[in-house]
């Protein structure tokens, strides 16, 4: 459905509207008393969330592409069915196909001071060409004073031997005033793969992770709630999670950011990815008929 059809079907004047961008992407605009948000059907991509009285909580690059088939830089990319480069010997786009697919909006409603949306993604010619057919994704987005993101994956195959194995992530770009003055707590003593140091397996000794260089860490076997202490921004962003055993922390820093066409060169200090995920040995395998749900609940303290 295009913006006009969704507007006719789901709009609530003054709270929930729909529009089609000049580049042909359809997006929902939430303007509730509790918060505002923007969600594209492209990639089921939440690009903006701002509780009332606060600053935006998600970073969105001013240079991001907003075009069919292209990933959006910032917000919360939905990563499925692999994380990073495809690593099963076959070809496929970085971070899988879900973040550049056109999702369907199946449900949208205002409940109290929250707006609930449900987006779904099923098999397509592209996914089948990549070897993915019998799956369905349902992504529940609840916009309010907190932001709830819940991804359910179903193996819809009837063939008894058709397991569905996948990695997944909510690759969230959080907005910070200055990453050089921010820390992430919740990962003390947690093992991680250090992607900037030869994928070495390490254990975080410090209570809170500070940022002094490009950082790209895949924390393993962790269900912990993380908190970004955005010291310069005088606020904390808490990320609680359910159904996730991996947390990825990433900032490209100056040198890598300068090579990214969809990122302003001086924007990297204003973003920090803390990603709710299941990757590597925490990848999920579903037997036919099974489902798996991963949820992140984001809240903000301070920064008023
Ligand atoms: O989550 C961190 C990471 O895997 C980094 O290694 C970097 O590649 C980042 O994702 C962004 O990936 P993208 O394909 O969106 O540029």
């Amino acid at each position: 459905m295009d913006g006009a059809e969704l507007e006719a079907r789901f709009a609530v004047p003054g709270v929930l509207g729909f529009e089609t961008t000049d580049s042909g992407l359809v997006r929902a605009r939430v303007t509730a008393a509790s918060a505002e948000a923007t969600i594209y059907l492209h990639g089921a991509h939440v690009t903006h969330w701002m509780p009332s009285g606060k600053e935006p909580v998600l970073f969105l690059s001013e240079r991001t592409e907003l075009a069919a088939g292209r990933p959006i830089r910032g917000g919360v990319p939905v990563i499925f069915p692999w994380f990073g480069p495809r690593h099963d010997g076959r070809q496929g786009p970085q971070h899988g196909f879900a973040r550049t697919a056109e999702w369907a909006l199946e449900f949208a409603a205002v409940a109290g001071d929250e707006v609930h949306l449900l987006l779904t993604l099923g098999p397509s010619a592209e996914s089948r060409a990549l070897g993915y057919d019998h799956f369905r994704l349902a992504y529940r987005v609840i916009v309010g004073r907190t932001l709830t993101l819940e991804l359910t994956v179903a193996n819809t195959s009837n063939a008894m031997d058709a397991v569905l194995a996948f990695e997944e992530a909510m690759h969230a770009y959080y907005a910070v005033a200055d990453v050089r003055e921010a820390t992430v707590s919740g990962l003390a003593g947690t093992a991680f793969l250090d992607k900037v140091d030869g994928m070495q397996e390490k254990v975080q000794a410090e209570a809170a992770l500070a940022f002094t260089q490009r950082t790209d860490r895949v924390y393993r076997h962790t269900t912990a709630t993380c908190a970004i202490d955005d010291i310069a921004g005088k606020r904390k962003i808490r990320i609680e999670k359910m159904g996730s055993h991996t947390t990825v922390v990433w900032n490209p820093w100056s040198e890598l950011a300068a090579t990214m066409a969809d990122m302003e060169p001086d924007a990297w200090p204003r973003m920090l990815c803390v990603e709710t995920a299941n990757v590597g040995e925490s990848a999920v395998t579903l037997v036919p008929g099974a489902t798996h749900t991963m949820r992140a609940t984001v809240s903000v303290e301070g920064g008023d």
Side-chain angles (χ1 to χ4, degrees):
M1 272 188 275
D2 67 15
E5 290 167 308
L6 290 172
E7 179 77 11
R9 185 172 174 196
F10 292 120
V12 175
V15 181
L16 175 61
F18 297 85
E19 58 195 8
T20 303
T21 68
D22 295 342
S23 59
L25 300 188
V26 177
R27 64 189 178 195
R29 303 298 288 262
V30 174
T31 52
S34 60
E36 59 179 57
T38 304
I39 304 96
Y40 285 81
L41 272 60
H42 175 68
H45 202 125
V46 180
T47 57
H48 174 63
W49 172 58
M50 185 170 76
S52 60
K54 306 279 187 185
E55 294 296 315
V57 182
L58 301 176
F59 167 88
L60 184 67
S61 168
E62 291 170 9
R63 291 189 182 176
T64 184
E65 293 185 83
L66 288 171
R70 301 295 300 147
I72 295 173
R73 177 71 64 193
V76 186
V78 177
I79 309 298
F80 174 90
W82 58 81
F83 184 86
R86 187 170 186 174
H87 36 80
D88 61 358
R90 298 183 55 174
Q91 293 300 309
Q94 163 88 347
H95 282 325
F97 55 79
R99 69 171 176 168
T100 52
E102 293 310 305
W103 292 55
L105 181 71
E106 306 283 0
F107 173 85
V110 179
D113 67 355
E114 292 182 329
V115 176
H116 294 239
L117 302 106
L118 179 67
L119 299 101
T120 62
L121 181 69
S124 64
E126 184 205 8
S127 72
R128 291 188 180 98
L130 292 167
Y132 286 82
D133 192 349
H134 306 288
F135 72 92
R136 195 146 196 86
L137 307 185
Y139 190 49
R140 183 183 304 279
V141 178
I142 303 174
V143 175
R145 295 193 190 293
T146 61
L147 176 67
T148 299
L149 305 170
E150 183 177 273
L151 180 65
T152 296
V153 180
N155 178 347
T156 58
S157 171
N158 295 317
M160 287 321 292
D161 61 350
V163 297
L164 173 63
F166 61 92
E167 296 176 320
E168 58 184 350
M170 295 165 188
H171 191 301
Y173 288 69
Y174 295 102
V176 294
D178 190 338
V179 72
R180 294 162 293 196
E181 295 184 42
T183 63
V184 172
S185 60
L187 297 167
T190 305
F192 66 95
L193 293 177
D194 190 343
K195 292 172 68 173
V196 301
D197 190 8
M199 294 298 279
Q200 282 192 60
E201 164 98 39
K202 301 176 179 178
V203 175
Q204 178 173 309
E206 59 271 36
L209 174 63
F211 300 89
T212 58
Q213 63 179 24
R214 177 164 71 92
T215 304
D216 196 345
R217 299 183 170 194
V218 180
Y219 288 85
R220 308 167 64 190
H221 310 304
T222 173
T223 58
T225 293
C226 288
I228 298 171
D229 191 353
D230 176 14
I231 298 164
K234 298 183 175 59
R235 70 177 182 178
K236 286 192 176 183
I237 301 170
R238 279 172 55 84
I239 307 112
E240 295 178 67
K241 65 177 191 173
M242 185 282 295
S244 159
H245 293 268
T246 310
T247 296
V248 180
V249 178
W250 178 62
N251 183 283
W253 221 252
S254 53
E255 196 173 333
L256 176 60
T259 70
M260 296 161 64
D262 58 357
M263 181 90 140
E264 319 93 279
D266 61 351
W268 60 271
R270 292 185 280 108
M271 57 142 286
L272 177 56
C273 286
V274 178
E275 304 161 35
T276 304
N278 285 301
V279 307
E281 68 276 325
S282 294
V284 179
T285 299
L286 295 179
V287 297
T291 64
H292 177 274
T293 297
M294 174 172 75
R295 181 170 64 234
T297 304
V298 188
S299 56
V300 183
E301 300 159 16
D304 302 53

